[in-house]
Amino acid sequence: MNLLSRILPPSNIVLDIAVTSKKRAFEQASLLFENHHGISRTAIFQSLIARERLGSTALGHEVAVPHGRIKDLKDPIGAFMRLAEPIRFDASDGRSARLLFFLLVPEHATQIHLDLLAEIARQMSDSTLRHELEIESDPVVIHQLLTTSVGNDSHAEHP
């Protein structure tokens, strides 16, 4: 079990969606959160865009973690989206992004927000896991990879 297991329901895994830009990806994620969780798509979209204006949320290796704070949200919620084709994401390594983790947190969340971002970054530093996420066709298996993976936790420093 990991932090993602608490915030990433299987219904929030979307594979091989065709979008042509970061804006279109944000629109699709906003619709998903609105349809599955009743959160205003406009609020989500505006939050994601506002955060992205501060600097790219791309991690490199075709991975990005767009995230935003949502007023009146009680608990963090996440989604994973694999794009049919990579899109430009202004990554520091100059690459596009294809594996997108969307993270919405309460307006005043602090440590949990940072812990979730750190966990995703730690997982995505594992090239084997990234490869599995790129080729796996079953959303249930993708969910299991993301929420039960303990192998990459062994690389983390523990106090």
Side-chain angles (χ1 to χ4, degrees):
M1 289 292 253
N2 58 26
L3 288 174
L4 282 180
S5 66
R6 298 183 206 164
I7 67 151
L8 182 65
S11 60
N12 284 9
I13 306 282
V14 180
L15 301 180
D16 302 323
I17 188 165
V19 297
T20 55
S21 68
K22 199 179 341 183
K23 180 181 175 189
R24 297 288 177 248
F26 289 2
E27 288 170 350
Q28 290 299 314
S30 297
L31 278 171
L32 179 140
F33 284 116
E34 182 177 71
N35 291 337
H36 293 188
H37 306 284
I39 307 166
S40 162
R41 73 179 124 178
T42 303
I44 295 165
F45 182 81
Q46 290 174 347
S47 179
L48 294 172
I49 289 290
R51 169 55 191 88
E52 203 66 28
R53 283 189 186 122
L54 298 175
S56 177
T57 55
L59 299 180
H61 303 289
E62 293 197 338
V63 176
V65 189
H67 53 282
R69 296 178 182 276
I70 304 295
K71 185 177 181 177
D72 298 327
L73 185 67
K74 300 293 182 227
D75 297 300
I77 190 76
F80 173 79
M81 187 180 292
R82 183 176 70 203
L83 306 180
E85 296 293 327
I87 57 173
R88 286 195 40 187
F89 229 94
D90 307 319
S92 60
D93 65 2
R95 295 188 205 171
S96 300
R98 182 170 182 226
L99 304 176
L100 307 180
F101 289 86
F102 287 91
L103 179 60
L104 303 180
V105 297
E107 189 174 33
H108 301 292
T110 53
Q111 193 59 47
I112 187 70
H113 182 194
L114 299 175
D115 291 346
L116 285 162
L117 291 171
E119 180 172 290
I120 293 167
R122 194 168 44 250
Q123 281 190 331
M124 291 303 96
S125 68
D126 182 334
S127 61
T128 303
L129 177 60
R130 283 195 316 269
H131 179 70
E132 291 175 18
L133 295 174
E134 290 169 357
I135 63 170
E136 179 55 55
S137 60
D138 185 346
V140 173
V141 174
I142 295 278
H143 185 260
Q144 290 171 341
L145 287 168
L146 292 172
T147 60
T148 62
S149 107
V150 290
N152 36 19
D153 286 344
S154 65
H155 302 297
E157 292 182 15
H158 295 286

